[in-house]
Amino acid sequence: MKALVFEGPGRTAWRDVPDPAPRDPSDAVVRVDAVTICGTDLHIVKGDVPEVAPGTVLGHEAVGEVMETGAQVGTVRPGDRVLISCISPCGGCRFCRERRYGLCQGGGGWILGHLIDGTQAEYVRVPFADLSLHQLPGPVDDAEAVLLADIFPTAYEVGVLNGRVRPGDTVAVVGAGPIGLATIATARLYSPGRIIAVDVADSRLAAAREIGADVTVSGNEQPEQLITDLTGGLGADVAVEAVGLPETFELCARVVRPGGRVANVGVHGRPATLHLEDLWIKDVTITTGLVDTFSTDLLLGLLGNGTLSSSSLVTHRFELGRMAEAYDVFARAADTGALKVVLGGVPHDTVVPA
């Protein structure tokens, strides 16, 4: 089969690799019908994730059809159309029993495209298939569903749930990239009073308004003052950091109200300053985390019944073999306007009776 292989910092190749097969009784092999690219994949290609060995197939998000299952797999069978989660839970360790699958200590967690071959391929072996694969509602389009492999559960769990968004809250989302936009979409499920989106790109602020932000402001135009004015001087009830820069984290810590919550979702590569000289007296809660994907089935149900939509985040679509072009477009998002790129994907707009 063909797959996108990491060959060392700055080098990838779409080339022939051996077909996957089940290695353990809990494995499944899935034909990949649609796949997307994550910002983490760009970090891997740059060489920022040294755990990824040259020769590894990249990718940790996909939709496809089950081809083969191991003897212990009971929740899916060949022919099922499934979402492949970015997290592969073993199901038996302490953290998995607490549904904290991202911290799995039993050989799972984030392993696809990281520690084992991933999803940017024609076929993929999926460990712990009973918990790693999710059957799709019949009418859901592949390109919409694949966004629920990572960014939507990440935004919902690490941003909205950790931030404890409640009806009437003022929610400031700093960063209107894919994760920030998914945060806005899922925060709306809790009827906040207003959502304020902050970004430096006009195109992303426009996307934020389209997906549900009530107010948008450029990061270059005193967002702190605007949030102060809109909240009568108090600050935001919830501030979600969705960029991963020291400056954006520190902005969130400044704009949150006393007694408020800062939910950090962004992946940080540099230290940020925690200004405890200001925060110690404010009773502020700061949370961090990796997605656990315990909410995936809930979000799929909301996507299937029309309560949640992810289609506006898909800005570019490619055939599966055009990996190099898709990576280039996604990596140059400031120039191309890319939010999420999807490779492959077959429309599913009719319900097929069981």
Side-chain angles (χ1 to χ4, degrees):
M1 70 169 185
K2 296 285 190 181
L4 186 73
V5 179
F6 174 65
E7 297 191 329
R11 294 183 292 117
T12 62
W14 178 254
R15 61 174 174 83
D16 289 324
V17 299
D19 292 344
R23 296 182 188 175
D24 299 308
S26 60
D27 289 351
V29 173
V30 178
R31 184 194 70 214
V32 174
D33 293 331
V35 68
T36 186
I37 302 169
C38 180
T40 305
D41 296 322
L42 298 182
H43 284 292
I44 292 171
V45 173
K46 290 178 183 177
D48 295 340
V49 187
E51 299 87 2
V52 181
T56 301
V57 176
L58 296 179
H60 53 266
E61 309 157 85
V63 166
E65 181 179 330
V66 177
M67 296 285 104
E68 186 177 0
T69 60
Q72 293 179 2
V73 177
T75 60
V76 297
R77 60 186 179 182
D80 285 346
R81 184 168 163 254
V82 295
L83 173 72
I84 302 172
S85 175
C86 65
I87 300 295
S88 305
C90 80
C93 71
R94 169 190 169 170
F95 291 117
C96 284
R97 290 196 301 271
E98 296 173 355
R99 294 203 312 168
R100 301 178 71 184
Y101 303 135
L103 298 175
C104 176
Q105 299 291 299
W110 172 40
I111 54 176
L112 288 171
H114 180 206
L115 304 179
I116 67 172
D117 287 338
T119 59
Q120 290 171 4
E122 294 177 324
Y123 296 87
V124 58
R125 178 181 71 91
V126 181
F128 310 118
D130 279 341
L131 288 173
S132 301
L133 299 179
H134 303 264
Q135 295 203 41
L136 295 184
V140 172
D141 182 72
D142 287 351
E144 287 193 83
V146 75
L147 301 194
L148 272 65
D150 187 349
I151 66 166
F152 269 83
T154 296
Y156 179 62
E157 294 173 15
V158 187
V160 176
L161 294 186
N162 279 2
R164 305 200 309 275
V165 174
R166 296 177 294 206
D169 277 352
T170 292
V171 181
V173 180
V174 179
I179 288 288
L181 295 173
T183 300
I184 293 167
T186 52
R188 293 222 67 85
L189 299 171
Y190 290 83
S191 302
R194 66 168 70 87
I195 299 176
I196 305 166
V198 182
D199 203 284
V200 295
D202 290 340
S203 61
R204 294 193 168 192
L205 293 176
R209 290 191 292 272
E210 181 179 351
I211 208 163
D214 301 290
V215 180
T216 59
V217 58
S218 170
N220 299 319
E221 295 178 358
Q222 297 185 314
E224 188 174 352
Q225 185 61 54
L226 175 66
I227 293 168
T228 298
D229 292 344
L230 289 174
T231 58
L234 279 179
D237 299 287
V238 183
V240 180
E241 200 288 328
V243 182
L245 293 175
E247 297 84 358
T248 49
F249 174 81
E250 291 166 26
L251 174 62
C252 286
R254 292 196 304 272
V255 301
V256 71
R257 67 163 173 82
R261 288 87 66 195
V262 175
N264 184 88
V265 187
V267 178
H268 289 263
R270 291 185 285 131
T273 301
L274 184 62
H275 287 282
L276 286 176
E277 74 277 11
D278 298 321
L279 293 172
W280 73 272
I281 200 171
K282 291 181 66 175
D283 194 20
V284 169
T285 299
I286 298 174
T287 58
T288 66
L290 176 68
V291 65
D292 293 310
T293 67
F294 63 78
S295 67
T296 302
D297 287 328
L298 168 66
L299 296 173
L300 281 172
L302 296 176
L303 187 67
N305 67 25
T307 302
L308 186 67
S309 175
S310 62
S311 59
S312 63
L313 274 68
V314 179
T315 54
H316 297 75
R317 296 184 70 163
F318 301 88
E319 295 177 359
L320 189 62
R322 294 169 62 189
M323 281 285 177
E325 184 178 354
Y327 262 81
D328 177 65
V329 167
F330 186 61
R332 296 187 300 107
D335 300 322
T336 64
L339 293 173
K340 291 297 286 185
V341 303
V342 173
L343 297 100
V346 178
H348 289 261
D349 50 12
T350 58
V351 178
V352 179

